[in-house]
Amino acid sequence: HVRAALAMKSVVIALLALPSVATAFIPSALHSRKMTIAGRASTRAAATAEGTTSEVDDAVEEKLAAALAEDIMAVPPADASSVFVLPDATAVGVSVFDCVDEAAEAAIAEKGHFLLGIPGGSILKMLAGTAPSWASKTTVAYVNHKCVDMGDEKLATHAKACKLFLDDWEGINVITLGGSGDSAAEAASYEKAMRDDSNIPTDPETGLPVFDMMLVGVGDDGHVGSLYPDRDEVLVSGGDQWVLPVDMKTPGSITLSLPVMAGAKEVVIAACGVSDKYPQGKSAGMVRAIEGLETLVSFPASGLRGKSVWILDEAAASKLSPAYTSK
């Protein structure tokens, strides 16, 4: 099991050796989620025997060499038992909401409240049209968000989420940004709002917030939240900084740190969908995210390998090696 083998040096140790990230992976919850998804995946087609392994291109090799020179080690591949391949995007969406629904029921039964992290992008559509009975006992925080007005329907994840589902989640508590373009100020304000919220528990050993579930999407370049390759933000460790400003693009954004994402009781990463431009969907990104020779610096999503359940459609899984697709 990868979770038992996360023995890394330098910055990776500083990140993954945190009790709530490495030694307290909540294996029973992860196992339960695997069993739930596996049970609902009985209709998925058998994978072909011609699975291929990823090839790391010259640019990635250069990044890896630079990272290794700084003693930042490559992350072990994800355990095959944590990867689930479903027939299509619809099945992935249903499975993701089922995971959220079960996690909410369990958290509320245990402690009376559910803490959920949600990203932007396609995962929002997986929650569309839902109106769960547990919404009034739920707090939502954004994994990342552009520093724009919250009502901006083109750029604001919050506005999009409200339109798709949050307006129907009666009684939901959503932690929002202030709406300015100042990423540093917005990050500080967002973190203060999280720390001041009595429904957000903190791990006493690490100082990190403990989400019940973290939903995460992965960009083609490996970014998770607004943690992008070759940037300092991805290497932030410890519990001192929960929310980081990122000014890589205009407008800037805020993002939860990688330790905060990985510190959730359950992390679900979903990838699906095809288009004329990308007939194989997110397959290239997923092979790097799940099994490629990567570091946190070269492909940030690899930093969540030991903690996540990966729910993919057949297109997104099409380049994975047979160990992941022939189950």
Side-chain angles (χ1 to χ4, degrees):
H1 262 232
V2 137
R3 295 187 298 280
L6 291 174
M8 302 181 190
K9 298 189 289 181
S10 190
V11 177
V12 177
I13 281 184
L15 171 63
L16 295 179
L18 293 169
S20 68
V21 179
T23 61
F25 268 127
I26 319 297
S28 60
L30 187 60
H31 176 75
S32 175
R33 187 65 56 226
K34 291 174 184 176
M35 294 303 100
T36 296
I37 298 169
R40 291 180 174 130
S42 59
T43 60
R44 65 177 176 264
T48 62
E50 299 87 36
T52 58
T53 57
S54 65
E55 294 183 359
V56 183
D57 59 24
D58 292 341
V60 174
E61 286 182 346
E62 290 177 6
K63 294 177 185 177
L64 287 169
L68 292 172
E70 297 176 9
D71 223 14
I72 301 173
M73 302 302 292
V75 182
D79 190 274
S81 67
S82 67
V83 178
F84 297 88
V85 182
L86 304 182
D88 51 34
T90 298
V92 170
V94 170
S95 183
V96 167
F97 183 72
D98 283 344
C99 288
V100 174
D101 191 48
E102 291 194 3
E105 298 281 359
I108 292 168
E110 177 188 352
K111 56 188 176 68
H113 203 81
F114 177 49
L115 178 58
L116 174 67
I118 61 172
S122 60
I123 289 182
L124 294 180
K125 296 178 182 179
M126 299 178 190
L127 305 177
T130 58
S133 60
W134 39 259
S136 62
K137 298 179 180 179
T138 299
T139 292
V140 164
Y142 291 109
V143 175
N144 63 309
H145 202 293
K146 291 183 175 67
C147 295
V148 296
D149 185 274
M150 293 297 95
D152 187 329
E153 294 187 357
K154 183 178 180 181
L155 296 177
T157 293
H158 180 64
K160 296 173 184 177
C162 285
K163 185 175 182 179
L164 287 169
F165 60 92
L166 282 181
D167 283 347
D168 296 321
W169 286 24
E170 187 174 349
I172 188 73
N173 173 40
V174 184
I175 302 177
T176 58
L177 284 71
S180 79
D182 186 335
S183 62
E186 289 290 351
S189 176
Y190 204 82
E191 179 164 334
K192 184 178 186 305
M194 288 178 63
R195 290 182 181 273
D196 289 346
D197 194 314
S198 61
N199 290 314
I200 299 182
T202 302
D203 186 307
E205 294 185 23
T206 66
L208 292 168
V210 182
F211 281 76
D212 295 298
M213 176 161 283
M214 188 76 64
L215 300 180
V216 180
V218 178
D220 291 339
D221 62 355
H223 76 266
V224 286
S226 291
L227 299 175
Y228 290 89
D230 302 312
R231 290 185 60 86
D232 292 340
E233 293 93 359
V234 75
L235 295 177
V236 170
S237 62
D240 292 338
Q241 272 189 292
W242 294 1
V243 185
L244 310 173
V246 181
D247 290 314
M248 177 178 167
K249 301 178 180 180
T250 302
S253 63
I254 67 168
T255 184
L256 300 181
S257 71
L258 194 58
V260 171
M261 295 183 204
K265 292 180 179 178
E266 297 184 75
V267 181
V268 173
I269 296 178
C272 61
V274 296
S275 64
D276 291 339
K277 186 177 180 181
Y278 297 105
Q280 290 185 301
K282 296 189 175 183
S283 57
M286 285 301 101
V287 75
R288 291 185 65 185
I290 290 171
E291 61 174 318
L293 180 60
E294 305 289 351
T295 71
L296 302 183
V297 174
S298 68
F299 211 76
S302 66
L304 295 174
R305 284 178 181 174
K307 181 62 185 289
S308 303
V309 163
W310 307 74
I311 308 177
L312 318 177
D313 67 358
E314 291 177 353
S318 62
K319 293 186 178 180
L320 294 177
S321 59
Y324 295 96
T325 59
S326 60
K327 295 180 289 182

